[in-house]
Amino acid sequence: QKEGEGEVYLKEKESMPKTPSPESSSSSLNFKESLRKKKFVNHVRRQSSFSFVQENLSKALTETNVTLIVSILTLLSTVILQTWYTIVTRNMHYVGTFHALHSEYASPEMLDAIDTVNDFIFEHGIEHYTDVYMRHKKDRIRAPIKDIDHSRRRVVHWYSKVCLFWEKSLIPVHLLQTFPGPERAVYFIRTFEPLEESSRMIYGGPKNGVFDCLRKMYGIWSEAPEDDANAATCSDNNLGGSNAYCPA
């Protein structure tokens, strides 16, 4: 019976929960604390690493934005300066071309050429000067009209340069509206085209296009009659605005 009670006692003792010893409890607490610290350290490291990466990325993006902005501003300033330089250079070229044309027209040789043709017309009359010119040409009498021919070539050559500069856009249209202007163009067409056509009829050759060029430039479709220079009419000219030969 005592042996049976002893066995029951041992079984009950074994089934009871074991009470941990103070040493094992302390070791378990230290392990948990160490694990907790380790997790905390790892968390701090991860946070520090993320902050570092974020800071560097933000810094890199800031530097990239600054570089991009500087590049764009540099490009814009270059374009503006280049455009300004092109405009100034073009205007200087316009001024130089206009000054050369004006100076040549005002030269003594050009004025003498215009006066020579005007004197010839005044001497023989507006109705007959081309007939006299053709008669001398056909009869090979060059002496009386030698100066007329030289003067004709000089003036026609000057207006041909004006047309060339206009067709090639080497001079602004508003300057051509001012000089030589529609009045001079009408005078030149009325006075020199009959001489030019007379010479072409005798010697042959293509028609000189300077007269049609001036008509197109100033929109002139009929010249003024001899008795009323202001009665000439024209369409809206290519240079804009109106003039004495383009009544509103």
Side-chain angles (χ1 to χ4, degrees), residues 151-238:
S151 300
R152 172 182 60 83
R153 293 191 186 99
R154 179 180 291 275
V155 178
V156 169
H157 177 70
W158 185 86
Y159 276 95
S160 297
K161 287 198 294 185
V162 172
C163 284
L164 177 64
F165 292 155
W166 174 67
E167 291 174 346
K168 300 299 182 181
S169 300
L170 297 177
I171 190 169
V173 293
H174 69 274
L175 292 180
L176 292 175
Q177 179 68 25
T178 304
F179 181 83
E183 291 86 356
R184 291 186 181 90
V186 169
Y187 160 78
F188 171 72
I189 293 172
R190 288 179 52 205
T191 305
F192 286 83
E193 189 174 25
L195 296 176
E196 194 73 14
E197 284 297 308
S198 299
S199 179
R200 187 180 68 86
M201 290 173 60
I202 296 173
Y203 296 109
K207 182 180 179 180
N208 197 324
V210 63
F211 304 101
D212 289 338
C213 173
L214 290 173
R215 288 187 178 96
K216 182 179 179 182
M217 183 188 304
Y218 293 106
I220 302 168
W221 55 268
S222 68
E223 291 79 46
E226 289 78 3
D227 57 345
D228 187 4
N230 290 327
T233 57
C234 61
S235 61
D236 293 337
N237 58 67
N238 293 315

Side-chain angles (χ1 to χ4, degrees), residues 33-223:
E33 183 67 20
S34 173
L35 184 61
R36 189 181 65 80
K37 288 183 179 180
K38 187 176 182 180
K39 289 182 178 180
F40 177 76
V41 170
N42 290 336
H43 176 72
V44 171
R45 286 178 179 177
R46 284 197 299 269
Q47 288 293 108
S48 300
S49 177
F50 177 76
S51 300
F52 177 77
V53 172
Q54 187 178 16
E55 182 180 355
N56 286 343
L57 181 61
S58 176
K59 184 178 180 181
L61 290 176
T62 302
E63 292 177 354
T64 303
N65 290 337
V66 171
T67 304
L68 180 61
I69 292 172
V70 171
S71 300
I72 293 175
L73 292 177
T74 302
L75 178 61
L76 289 177
S77 62
T78 302
V79 171
I80 293 173
L81 289 176
Q82 184 65 32
T83 303
W84 178 80
Y85 176 78
T86 302
I87 293 174
V88 170
T89 303
R90 183 185 59 188
N91 290 338
M92 291 177 63
H93 175 74
Y94 287 163
V95 171
T97 303
F98 182 77
H99 177 72
L101 286 175
H102 195 278
S103 298
E104 184 178 355
Y105 189 87
S107 65
E109 294 81 7
M110 187 71 172
L111 297 178
D112 288 343
I114 296 174
D115 288 341
T116 299
V117 174
N118 284 337
D119 292 342
F120 182 76
I121 296 173
F122 180 79
E123 180 182 355
H124 300 285
I126 192 69
E127 298 291 341
H128 306 290
Y129 79 100
T130 52
D131 297 332
V132 175
Y133 179 78
M134 286 190 68
R135 184 170 65 251
H136 287 301
K137 280 280 191 179
K138 289 179 180 179
D139 297 339
R140 299 294 191 270
I141 305 175
R142 295 186 55 83
I145 61 170
K146 181 178 181 180
D147 291 340
I148 302 298
D149 270 338
H150 290 176
S151 300
R152 172 182 60 83
R153 293 191 186 99
R154 179 180 291 275
V155 178
V156 169
H157 177 70
W158 185 86
Y159 276 95
S160 297
K161 287 198 294 185
V162 172
C163 284
L164 177 64
F165 292 155
W166 174 67
E167 291 174 346
K168 300 299 182 181
S169 300
L170 297 177
I171 190 169
V173 293
H174 69 274
L175 292 180
L176 292 175
Q177 179 68 25
T178 304
F179 181 83
E183 291 86 356
R184 291 186 181 90
V186 169
Y187 160 78
F188 171 72
I189 293 172
R190 288 179 52 205
T191 305
F192 286 83
E193 189 174 25
L195 296 176
E196 194 73 14
E197 284 297 308
S198 299
S199 179
R200 187 180 68 86
M201 290 173 60
I202 296 173
Y203 296 109
K207 182 180 179 180
N208 197 324
V210 63
F211 304 101
D212 289 338
C213 173
L214 290 173
R215 288 187 178 96
K216 182 179 179 182
M217 183 188 304
Y218 293 106
I220 302 168
W221 55 268
S222 68
E223 291 79 46

